[in-house]
Amino acid sequence: MLDDESKYFSLSGDIPVGGPSTWHVIDWDQRRTISVTMDGEQDDESIAIEHLSRYSSQLSPSIYRIYISENGEIIKTYTDANDDQTECAHYPFLHEIILPEGIQTIQRDALEELDRLGPDADLVAYPACSKGSAKKVVFKYYFLWQYAQKSWKEMNLWMRLPRHPNIVPFDRVVIDELEGRVVGFTNNYVSGGSLEENKSRVFKLKWLQQLIQTVDDLNLRYGIAHQDVAPRNLLVDESTDSIMLFDFNFAARIKNPLQDEGECYYEQRNDIKGVIFTMYEIITQDDSLRRKPHEKQGLNDLQREWVKHPEVKLDHPVEAYRRVLQEWQERRAANLTGDAPEAINWPSRPKLPQRTIILKDMHGNPSPVTSEEWYGMRRDVLARGGKVLNWERPPQSRLNDGIRVLSTGEIIDC
C-alpha cells in the first residue's frame, strides 16, 4: 500500500509576482494531476501537497484544479479542460520493439490490481476476476514521460537476463488496450516482503554467498551493474530457500559508452560496496551511512567492529560473514579488467515523433525549432480527436472497501 509520504509530489508550478500561486501536484495513488491554487506567492510545493492530501480522495475525476483559502478550505473547483494539466506520455508500438525469444505479452486490461506497492508499481493478478489460480505479478509502468527512459532501460535489461536462481524472473511485456503500445512490464511476485520490510528471518550465511555469486554473474559475466543492492531490493524465496535480487531501476551496462536513455554507470554505486553496506545494515540495523550521497559513502566509514543488533538473527557468527566479504573483496580486486563474455545489450528506444514550433529570434523574425515529442497535453490530444490512454483510478481507500479494479483504473464486478 502506498504510504502517505509517497502519494504526492510536484514537478512544476506557476508563481506570478503577488500571486496567486498554483502548483501542479501528482497524486500517485489515483494517478492523476490536480492543480492547487493559493493566494500570495507560495514558493513551497509542500503547502499545496498538504492541502490536496486532505481532499484528494473526495474530488471528482472531472475536477482539474482547486482554489484553497488561507484557512485551508476549498473556495472553488475548476472543471474546464483548460485547467487540465494532465500529460499523455508517448509509448512505442509493440512492433517497434525487439522481443527476445520466449518473451510474451499481455494487455493491461487483463490485469487486476491487488495492491499499490509504490509509485508506478502495483501487485496485480491475471486473469482478472479469476476464482482459481490466478498468477500474481508486479506490474511496473510509467504514466509521466520523465520516467520513460528508465522504464525502457529496465524492461530491456531485465527481459534479456538469462534465468538465474537468485534473480526475480521477468514475466511479460504489457501493452495497452487501445493501440498495442508498450506501457510497462511484469515480473514474478515473491511473497514474504523484502529484507527491509521483514526482519524476523534468520539471515543465513548461504544467502550472502548466493548474493555474492549473483553480483559476480551480473558484473563479470553479463557486464551489468545493479547499482542499488540494498535490503529493500532483496527477497527470500522460501520454496527454494534462496535470496532473490530484483528492481533494475538504477542498473546500467558497465562499459556502455553512451551513458544515456535512463542509464548511467557510477563507480560510486558499485555493487561490491552495495553488498557490504547491505550486510552491515542487516547485521547492525544501522542505515545512517546510506543516507549520505553515494559519492560520500565509503567503506572506511563502517564501524571497525560490527555489533549485531539484539533482534537480528544469524546462523553463523558475525565474523563468518565479514570473512566471506573480505575474501570476496580481495578476489574482485584482482579482477578489475576484462570484457564480460555474455555481455547484455539492447537497442535504443524507437524514435519519438517530431514537433516543430515557431519561435522568434532576437530580431523578431520567425524561426522554426524541431524537438522530440515526449508527451502531449491531454486537453490538446482530445481537442484534435486523438486517443488518450486513461491511467486514473479510484483511491486506495475504495479498494480497502472491497471494490475490484483493473490496471486500467476500471471498476469491475466479478
Side-chain angles (χ1 to χ4, degrees):
M1 180 175 177
L2 274 168
D3 58 72
D4 290 339
E5 292 183 1
S6 301
K7 279 187 180 179
Y8 310 97
F9 90 114
S10 179
L11 282 173
S12 64
D14 181 20
I15 312 172
V17 176
S21 304
T22 299
W23 284 96
H24 310 306
V25 182
I26 308 298
D27 179 344
W28 288 113
D29 182 34
Q30 298 183 67
R31 295 194 300 224
R32 63 187 292 201
T33 303
I34 302 174
S35 299
V36 180
T37 300
M38 303 162 287
D39 288 332
E41 298 177 32
Q42 305 290 348
D43 58 1
D44 185 353
E45 73 273 18
S46 66
I47 299 173
I49 289 173
E50 182 182 351
H51 288 313
L52 179 61
S53 65
R54 296 200 302 272
Y55 299 109
S56 61
S57 62
Q58 307 165 29
L59 298 176
S60 162
S62 63
I63 294 175
Y64 304 125
R65 179 161 71 102
I66 59 176
Y67 204 123
I68 299 292
S69 72
E70 291 183 0
N71 297 326
E73 298 176 349
I74 295 179
I75 300 173
K76 187 177 180 181
T77 59
Y78 301 79
T79 57
D80 190 287
N82 289 326
D83 290 299
D84 183 8
Q85 295 295 319
T86 303
E87 298 172 352
C88 296
H90 174 80
Y91 299 100
F93 284 104
L94 179 61
H95 65 74
E96 297 178 302
I97 292 178
I98 301 172
L99 296 183
E101 184 179 353
I103 295 296
Q104 297 179 296
T105 64
I106 189 169
Q107 280 196 182
R108 187 180 65 141
D109 59 0
L111 305 174
E112 180 179 352
E113 182 183 312
L114 302 180
D115 196 6
R116 297 171 187 179
L117 305 178
D120 289 347
D122 299 333
L123 176 63
V124 301
Y126 63 84
C129 286
S130 175
K131 293 184 173 67
S133 56
K135 182 175 182 178
K136 290 183 179 181
V137 293
V138 175
F139 176 30
K140 299 194 74 173
Y141 53 89
Y142 65 98
F143 66 95
L144 298 179
W145 68 271
Q146 291 89 342
Y147 299 92
Q149 289 185 308
K150 274 203 169 186
S151 180
W152 172 262
K153 179 274 308 280
E154 184 176 25
M155 178 184 74
N156 276 275
L157 186 164
W158 207 336
M159 69 181 174
R160 285 171 169 80
L161 275 176
R163 288 290 173 126
H164 192 285
N166 303 107
I167 295 176
V168 173
F170 186 91
D171 181 52
R172 298 190 180 205
V173 170
V174 180
I175 58 176
D176 73 35
E177 59 280 2
L178 295 182
E179 300 180 298
R181 293 177 181 267
V182 175
V183 298
F185 64 90
T186 56
N187 61 261
N188 285 7
Y189 171 67
V190 179
S191 62
S194 69
L195 294 185
E196 180 179 78
E197 297 163 331
N198 185 352
K199 301 176 181 179
S200 64
R201 302 181 180 98
V202 176
F203 189 88
K204 301 178 181 180
L205 182 64
K206 76 170 186 177
W207 293 348
L208 170 58
Q209 294 166 331
Q210 291 170 355
L211 179 58
I212 285 173
Q213 183 60 57
T214 304
V215 166
D216 280 350
D217 288 342
L218 285 172
N219 295 175
L220 306 177
R221 186 175 176 185
Y222 304 127
I224 298 295
H226 185 275
Q227 299 199 115
D228 199 21
V229 179
R232 66 179 176 278
N233 290 327
L234 292 168
L235 304 161
V236 174
D237 184 342
E238 295 183 358
S239 66
T240 60
D241 196 22
S242 301
I243 202 163
M244 304 291 285
L245 179 65
F246 72 105
D247 197 346
F248 290 85
N249 243 10
F250 291 96
R253 288 168 284 194
I254 296 173
K255 293 194 174 183
N256 177 28
L258 299 177
Q259 301 291 304
D260 61 359
E261 294 197 344
E263 176 189 15
C264 195
Y265 173 69
Y266 297 101
E267 178 56 33
Q268 298 93 332
R269 298 189 71 135
N270 75 77
D271 291 340
I272 297 175
K273 187 170 79 170
V275 171
I276 295 172
F277 267 78
T278 294
M279 281 312 306
Y280 177 79
E281 291 165 12
I282 288 173
I283 291 171
T284 67
Q285 295 297 294
D286 174 15
D287 63 355
S288 59
L289 294 173
R290 191 84 81 152
R291 297 174 201 154
K292 297 180 181 179
H294 285 277
E295 61 273 15
K296 294 184 179 179
Q297 295 176 8
L299 294 177
N300 292 333
D301 295 330
L302 298 178
Q303 295 294 328
R304 183 166 296 180
E305 181 182 1
W306 292 13
V307 180
K308 185 175 75 69
H309 189 279
E311 296 179 4
V312 169
K313 303 171 186 174
L314 306 172
D315 70 345
H316 283 74
V318 172
E319 291 72 21
Y321 295 81
R322 298 197 66 180
R323 185 164 54 252
V324 167
L325 290 170
Q326 181 62 39
E327 292 172 354
W328 178 50
Q329 270 187 283
E330 293 171 358
R331 287 199 308 273
R332 286 295 300 266
N335 190 2
L336 295 176
T337 59
D339 294 327
E342 300 175 42
I344 292 176
N345 287 293
W346 54 88
S348 296
R349 197 177 191 274
K351 289 185 177 180
L352 292 158
Q354 301 292 299
R355 174 175 58 181
T356 300
I357 59 175
I358 305 299
L359 300 177
K360 290 185 178 181
D361 62 22
M362 60 185 297
H363 302 294
N365 300 316
S367 175
V369 176
T370 300
S371 61
E372 294 179 320
E373 192 169 22
W374 284 95
Y375 71 96
M377 299 304 294
R378 180 168 65 179
R379 59 176 182 263
D380 297 335
V381 177
L382 291 174
R384 61 175 181 260
K387 295 180 179 179
V388 168
L389 185 67
N390 177 67
W391 282 102
E392 294 184 9
R393 60 186 178 183
Q396 174 79 48
S397 56
R398 293 204 60 191
L399 269 70
N400 297 339
D401 292 338
I403 70 163
R404 300 178 73 167
V405 178
L406 294 177
S407 286
T408 59
E410 177 188 352
I411 297 175
I412 51 176
D413 184 13
C414 297

